[in-house]
Amino acid sequence: MQSVSWKCPSNIALIKYWGKKGNQIPANPSISFTLNNCHTITNIRYEPKENDGTLLVSFAYDGKPMPSFEPKLETFFNNVEALFPFLPGYTLEINTTNTFPHSSGIASSASGMAALALCLCSIEKNIGGNLSEAEFFKKASNAARLGSGSACRSIYGNMALWGQTDFYPESDDEYAIKIENIDSVFKTYCDTILLVDEGEKEVSSSAGHALLNGHPFAHIRFEEANKNMGLLKTALETGDLKAFTKITEQEALMLHALMMTSNPAFILLKPNTLAIIQKVWEYRKNTALNVAFTLDAGANVHLLYPAEEKIKAHHFIEFELAKFCKNKSFIHDGVGMGPEQLV
Ligand code: PMV
């Protein structure tokens, strides 16, 4: 059997994707930091089989079968069949592992689906595909999107944008692009993930996206996201950390406000999430440093700060924030270079 392997990082959105149309087309454009330490490593062993039109795929997580992943995987393969017509002619053995705990509440679908998409593109290349490097990554991003929308952004290092917007003429609804023009401060930005709640999400992001259909504030939300896209672009290009903080926090709170005003409503924030937010605001007022928060679709807090404030931020985390985390646990991460092919 031959084999391909990719290491692919997770990402954290600053402008949030929340709400979709048709086949995984975002209702508004989104921007994210690509992380480094929180990543998935996926290996696929493959060999030719008789092409009888059926897929033969086995899946293991950390070397063990994981039946709970299988429905999502099946949907993914159904969605990407047309992109990879060679698939029914091969047997695939997928083995995957994450550097962060599977139950930590950190979204593993972004890094997981992106790693899988990259592996499929590499198999295609090995059996005679001849895409240019740029087309290879574009295709991987498009395929990753069909597994989990946010996954398409994990294909590129530093910062990525997904969704058509006039602010970036190269942008597209079907794949992400790398944002090239950013101030150097953002290339080393730090993200400490404060693990407030390690449980499984109570409402899946697919269910959350669906609740934007007919949501009374959906229209306003999409307008605000587009407006924030323009403001964030300027902040990223000029290195304006005050503006960056304001937009990032507003986006995080708006995401959760949409959840609270959905029908049915739901709340993913926990009391300790709010306690951390209060502490961050107090800290910023007292120190004038640039520690900011953002939130995923869950209770964990991503604490964002420039590398030059690292020592002070770590002190703040250890002495003032860790007590709000489950078992005082957090993960130091930061902006990374993007996926890496291992085999
Ligand atoms: O990729 P999905 O369908 O799991 O949705 C991700 C949604 C958020 O994480 C809340 C926002 C984002 O843009 O990543």
Side-chain angles (χ1 to χ4, degrees), residues 13 15-18 30 109 148-151 153 205 209 255 296-297:
I15 304 280
K16 307 291 181 181
Y17 150 56
W18 200 240
S30 56
S109 58
S148 176
S150 57
R153 299 185 309 240
S205 46
H209 289 296
L255 169 71
D296 226 332

Side-chain angles (χ1 to χ4, degrees), residues 70-103:
E70 277 163 18
K72 202 151 190 194
L73 213 58
E74 207 178 311
T75 310
F76 171 75
F77 275 100
N78 287 337
N79 286 346
V80 299
E81 231 178 325
L83 284 180
F84 301 106
F86 66 86
L87 282 174
Y90 286 81
T91 302
L92 306 185
E93 283 179 20
I94 305 171
N95 203 331
T96 193
T97 181
N98 290 338
T99 49
F100 46 98
H102 165 54
S103 61

Side-chain angles (χ1 to χ4, degrees), residues 220-229 250-251 254:
I220 303 166
R221 161 61 193 155
F222 304 143
E223 268 169 30
E224 286 296 298
N226 280 306
K227 198 169 83 194
N228 281 341
M229 179 63 63
Q250 197 202 15
E251 277 287 314
M254 210 185 305

